[in-house]
Amino acid sequence: MEHRIVALVSAAPQRDRNREIIRRLTVELKERQMKLLVFGTLSDLAGRDTNDYGEKSVFRLIPYKKLAGLIIQAGSFLDPDEAAWIISEAKAAGVPVMDLDHETTGIPSVCFDYDSAFAEMVRHVILYHGCRKIAMIAGAKGQDASAEREKTFYRICGENSIPEENIRICYGELWDWPAREAVIRMIEEKDVPEAFICMNDAMALGCIGALQEKGYSVPGDVIVTGMDGIMLAEYSEPRLTTVPADITQLCREAAEQIDTLSRGRRDEARKIRIQMKADYEGSCGCAGRSDVNAGMKLLEIDSLMSLHGNHERDMARMRHKLMDEDRYQMFEKMALYMESDSWICCNPSFWERQDAGGRRSFDYRRREPLFDQEMISARLSPSGAPEERFEETMFSREELLPGLEGLLRSRDMLLFCPLNFQQEVIGYCVFDGIGQVQKPFLFSQLCRNISMILKVVRDREQAEYVTRVLESSNRVLYDLSMHDELTGLDNRRGLMQRLEEICTTKAESGRVLSYTYLDLDSFKDINDKWGHDEGDRVLKLVADALKNVSDTYADVSVSRVGGDEFVVFGTLKDVAEGERLLAALKAEIIQLNHSMGKDYSIRCSLGQSNSENISREVARELIRKADDAMYRCKRAGKLSRREN
């Protein structure tokens, strides 16, 4: 294969900074004849809950045997153990591995020199602006990067003889709202410093908002600084003092480093720290620049928000339209919601799973197999003809994607994202090209939408399957409840149902309702002398004989209503036909005795009752009369006997 493959492993690649890294890294690797496979969770794995367990399944896909190198953004993981596991797997497979935008002990890295830049920012606030009472808004308490910045903050304050009682650290969790709340608490405690030095821009903007809301002037009353140079820092009022990051240089150095490693020159690999230069702006009291066109940026943001709103509507429409479809129609219509060619790769066991609604014990750290050996790929092509929009293929798990090597000849980057519902792993989604990545709300929400739709469709299929099984089982149980197991004839319940049907449908037919009761005489003697197996054989022979007669009539049936009791019933043309039926039954028993050639004879007593009226009351009366007639026959000894 003419190109080399590099994997980029990231938590939350949809975030602005990570998207820019993916975009620039793709360009830099292309210049070095290298292709990029991105494996990313939609979560930063901070929760370590059932959803995070399902999402991190995407890291099981990393094809170490295919890789020339692996780049991990270990700093994007709020679960450092997961990042460490990926690094150890790469090392075990002999794959060169490096850290990007972060430093991990034991592997090469390319990152910004945040510590030096942060130290310079603290010095600027103390020495240039003369602040002696300073607060730092750090990230998450106990997080490695935050702990490093805290040490630097204390060190620089100590070097400049800032009294310990004038130093304070609070935590903003790297987000604007927690930082805002921390500042408001300090204001309420009447412990407002001269300066807030924030670990990133998001927290700095939250800090400015809280101060301005409470009537403080920035920088007139309080100085505020940020750190990482996000886009919004340029448009805050006052403009935020920060330290921008040159992502292009970061990715160029990373591409060069992984290229060096992949060519076996590992002794040349090193930890590279890119120097950063602060932009001193209005939030710290410096003059700064005034070349930003805020109006154009507002138009851009407004356009982005409009696009986001349209996407939200599309996602809602997608759910409503696809959740009611069967599996194959769902995939065909799903293609219309894709920006470019995409692949939905599912575990076949996901569709076959019978315990879909069950819950199991949860262990976030377990390393059980999460993907089937054989996978199903649904390729979705939005630009193709209707019959070409969906193509399903079975492929081996080791392939990662059907025809991967061929796909990479015409593509520079593929993005792999998890498909899961909580801890249940459905599979993964593969997006084609950088265009998808540049719309963060598209691929992140799209993945979650797809996971939800797949689960709903699967659960509905399973419910329909269970319903069919139950209906089939109910039919079997119903059939068993209505029929005699030995002879296959209707039992007493079946007889009563058929009589009910006759009374309901034939009441005005002008036909005669006939009911003949047959009881075997001395049947116990056969069982006692010849055994129960022989007795069962006799019962089946009698049933067949009676059915031979009933089959010659259009509307006559036979039931076994007791151990050796049978009923022949139905509607006939007239009473005379009922008498002919009775004679035919007797003749059939006689013929049966002739054909059996046994040392015993089958003897029976018969009683018949007929009526030209058909109703439930008449049926009950006929049953009573036929029963009485049969017992009169038995008492009188009018038996059918075997003739020699």
Side-chain angles (χ1 to χ4, degrees):
M1 187 167 57
E2 65 276 12
H3 51 251
R4 291 167 292 156
I5 300 176
V6 172
L8 174 65
V9 183
S10 174
Q14 74 275 16
R15 291 180 179 164
D16 290 347
R17 184 185 182 89
N18 292 340
R19 287 189 298 112
E20 181 62 15
I21 286 174
I22 293 171
R23 188 181 72 83
R24 290 305 313 168
L25 190 60
T26 300
V27 172
E28 295 295 337
L29 290 173
K30 181 180 179 180
E31 292 179 359
R32 295 163 176 79
Q33 288 76 52
M34 304 176 88
K35 305 289 185 173
L36 184 63
L37 302 182
V38 181
F39 299 86
T41 56
L42 306 179
S43 159
D44 56 16
L45 306 181
R48 306 182 194 186
D49 52 16
T50 55
N51 181 70
D52 282 356
Y53 178 85
E55 287 207 10
K56 69 178 183 160
S57 65
V58 73
F59 300 137
R60 304 290 187 89
L61 299 172
I62 300 171
Y64 297 101
K65 293 180 181 179
K66 299 178 185 289
L67 298 182
L70 184 144
I71 302 172
I72 185 168
Q73 289 182 267
S76 67
F77 287 70
L78 293 188
D79 176 8
D81 290 343
E82 189 66 22
W85 177 78
I86 295 168
I87 292 169
S88 68
E89 289 290 295
K91 287 182 175 180
V95 177
V97 57
M98 61 166 287
D99 200 352
L100 178 62
D101 204 18
H102 179 266
E103 285 188 359
T104 294
T105 303
I107 62 173
S109 61
V110 176
C111 68
F112 293 108
D113 192 351
Y114 292 106
D115 194 57
S116 296
F118 187 74
E120 190 57 36
M121 183 67 75
V122 179
R123 288 191 188 98
H124 176 78
V125 169
I126 295 172
L127 299 177
Y128 188 83
H129 293 287
C131 296
R132 306 296 293 173
K133 184 177 182 181
I134 308 170
M136 174 188 173
I137 302 185
K141 191 170 186 177
Q143 184 188 27
D144 290 346
S146 184
E148 288 297 319
R149 298 297 93 78
E150 291 172 44
K151 289 178 183 177
T152 300
F153 177 69
Y154 279 122
R155 177 171 59 82
I156 302 303
C157 287
E159 290 174 359
N160 290 278
S161 303
I162 302 297
E164 188 173 328
E165 62 270 18
N166 286 0
I167 300 172
R168 182 167 178 179
I169 292 181
C170 54
Y171 297 93
E173 307 294 334
L174 300 177
W175 295 104
D176 57 342
W177 198 256
R180 180 188 183 92
E181 291 180 333
V183 172
I184 289 174
R185 282 195 299 272
M186 294 177 72
I187 293 172
E188 291 172 347
E189 294 168 2
K190 301 187 184 305
D191 188 24
V192 180
E194 296 171 341
F196 282 101
I197 299 177
C198 303
M199 189 173 156
N200 70 9
D201 288 355
M203 294 190 294
L205 294 174
C207 176
I208 291 174
L211 288 167
Q212 291 176 339
E213 179 184 312
K214 296 298 183 179
Y216 287 83
S217 169
V218 178
D221 298 322
V222 183
I223 285 174
V224 178
T225 67
M227 186 61 201
D228 52 357
I230 65 174
M231 177 267 292
L232 289 177
E234 297 186 13
Y235 302 96
S236 68
E237 181 57 42
R239 189 167 176 175
L240 182 64
T241 290
T242 185
V243 182
D246 187 344
I247 299 298
T248 298
Q249 184 182 359
L250 178 78
C251 293
R252 184 179 299 119
E253 295 282 1
E256 190 63 35
Q257 179 95 295
I258 201 68
D259 186 25
T260 298
L261 289 168
S262 70
R263 294 181 187 279
R265 304 201 305 270
R266 302 192 183 189
D267 57 325
E268 300 178 27
R270 63 194 190 281
K271 292 186 182 294
I272 299 173
R273 288 188 176 183
I274 299 172
Q275 295 302 307
M276 307 175 78
K277 183 180 179 181
D279 284 343
Y280 298 117
E281 302 288 349
S283 70
C284 72
C286 292
R289 297 172 294 155
S290 59
D291 57 347
V292 175
N293 189 333
M296 291 302 296
K297 180 52 65 173
L298 286 173
L299 286 174
E300 181 183 331
I301 293 173
D302 183 66
S303 175
L304 186 63
M305 293 302 295
S306 177
L307 186 62
H308 183 78
N310 291 338
H311 176 68
E312 287 282 2
R313 287 191 292 273
D314 285 344
M315 291 298 95
R317 190 178 298 115
M318 179 184 182
R319 290 191 297 272
H320 295 154
K321 287 192 174 183
L322 301 190
M323 283 180 176
D324 290 334
E325 301 289 352
D326 65 35
R327 190 190 315 178
Y328 301 101
Q329 290 175 330
M330 171 199 68
F331 280 128
E332 287 178 1
K333 294 182 179 180
M334 188 179 288
L336 299 175
Y337 294 90
M338 302 296 169
E339 288 280 306
S340 59
D341 284 359
S342 304
W343 293 261
I344 310 297
C345 301
C346 294
N347 284 321
S349 60
F350 167 75
W351 296 105
E352 299 163 0
R353 203 166 289 139
Q354 299 297 314
D355 61 342
R359 300 185 69 86
R360 54 179 175 165
S361 59
F362 170 66
D363 177 6
Y364 180 77
R365 294 298 178 196
R366 70 175 183 266
R367 298 288 182 186
E368 64 182 352
L370 296 176
F371 296 101
D372 297 343
Q373 190 57 41
E374 294 292 320
M375 302 284 292
I376 303 173
S377 165
R379 178 171 180 164
L380 309 181
S381 302
S383 59
E387 65 275 9
E388 298 173 347
R389 287 177 187 151
F390 162 56
E391 179 184 7
E392 187 172 272
T393 307
M394 292 292 296
F395 69 101
S396 169
R397 154 73 181 81
E398 282 71 26
E399 292 180 67
L400 195 61
L401 197 64
L404 175 63
E405 293 186 7
L407 291 170
L408 288 177
R409 292 191 185 98
S410 58
R411 294 164 172 84
D412 299 319
M413 188 274 291
L414 292 173
L415 170 64
F416 293 75
C417 291
L419 294 176
N420 66 290
F421 191 85
Q422 298 299 324
Q423 70 192 83
E424 183 177 18
V425 176
I426 299 170
Y428 51 95
C429 190
V430 185
F431 295 112
D432 174 13
I434 203 68
Q436 298 268 18
V437 178
Q438 292 311 308
K439 298 177 180 178
F441 48 82
L442 177 62
F443 77 81
S444 58
Q445 292 183 25
L446 186 58
C447 282
R448 292 186 173 103
N449 233 27
I450 292 171
S451 293
M452 184 184 301
I453 291 168
L454 293 177
K455 185 176 190 303
V456 168
V457 171
R458 190 281 307 275
D459 287 355
R460 192 185 66 246
E461 285 188 359
Q462 292 294 335
E464 290 171 352
Y465 170 78
V466 170
T467 298
R468 289 194 299 272
V469 169
L470 288 174
E471 288 175 347
S472 176
S473 299
N474 286 337
R475 285 193 296 270
V476 170
L477 291 172
Y478 177 79
D479 190 64
L480 289 173
S481 73
M482 305 297 279
H483 292 86
D484 172 51
E485 184 178 0
L486 178 66
T487 64
L489 300 175
D490 285 346
N491 58 19
R492 184 179 296 277
R493 182 176 293 164
L495 162 68
M496 300 310 295
Q497 185 187 57
R498 288 182 182 269
L499 278 176
E500 176 66 23
E501 291 172 359
I502 290 172
C503 293
T504 301
T505 61
K506 302 293 180 67
E508 306 296 331
S509 65
R511 293 175 65 82
V512 169
L513 180 60
S514 179
Y515 191 95
T516 303
Y517 205 154
L518 181 148
D519 182 80
L520 298 184
D521 297 327
S522 303
F523 179 68
K524 183 176 181 301
D525 295 342
I526 297 175
N527 276 333
D528 291 345
K529 186 173 182 180
W530 303 93
H532 287 280
D533 288 345
E534 183 66 15
D536 288 347
R537 177 174 175 273
V538 168
L539 291 172
K540 288 191 281 188
L541 288 172
V542 170
D544 291 342
L546 299 180
K547 201 164 185 316
N548 287 339
V549 176
S550 71
D551 286 348
T552 62
Y553 293 85
D555 193 25
V556 174
S557 300
V558 182
S559 294
R560 181 187 175 203
V561 296
D564 57 358
E565 301 171 20
F566 297 84
V567 170
V568 181
F569 65 99
T571 64
L572 304 168
K573 290 188 297 183
D574 50 35
V575 173
E577 191 171 33
E579 294 171 354
R580 290 193 292 274
L581 171 63
L582 183 61
L585 293 171
K586 292 178 179 180
E588 190 70 20
I589 296 298
I590 291 171
Q591 178 59 37
L592 175 60
N593 280 317
H594 277 302
S595 62
M596 282 188 3
K598 293 289 185 179
D599 293 335
Y600 61 82
S601 295
I602 298 174
R603 295 174 294 167
C604 60
S605 299
L606 298 95
Q608 187 182 77
S609 180
N610 301 295
S611 174
E612 294 178 347
N613 297 318
I614 300 177
S615 68
R616 294 182 181 86
E617 293 75 13
V618 169
R620 285 195 290 270
E621 185 64 18
L622 286 183
I623 292 171
R624 187 186 63 76
K625 288 182 176 180
D627 190 53
D628 289 347
M630 184 274 293
Y631 279 108
R632 286 198 301 272
C633 176
K634 189 179 287 288
R635 285 194 297 271
K638 296 179 180 178
L639 308 174
S640 297
R641 303 182 185 279
R642 177 182 176 194
E643 297 181 1
N644 298 317

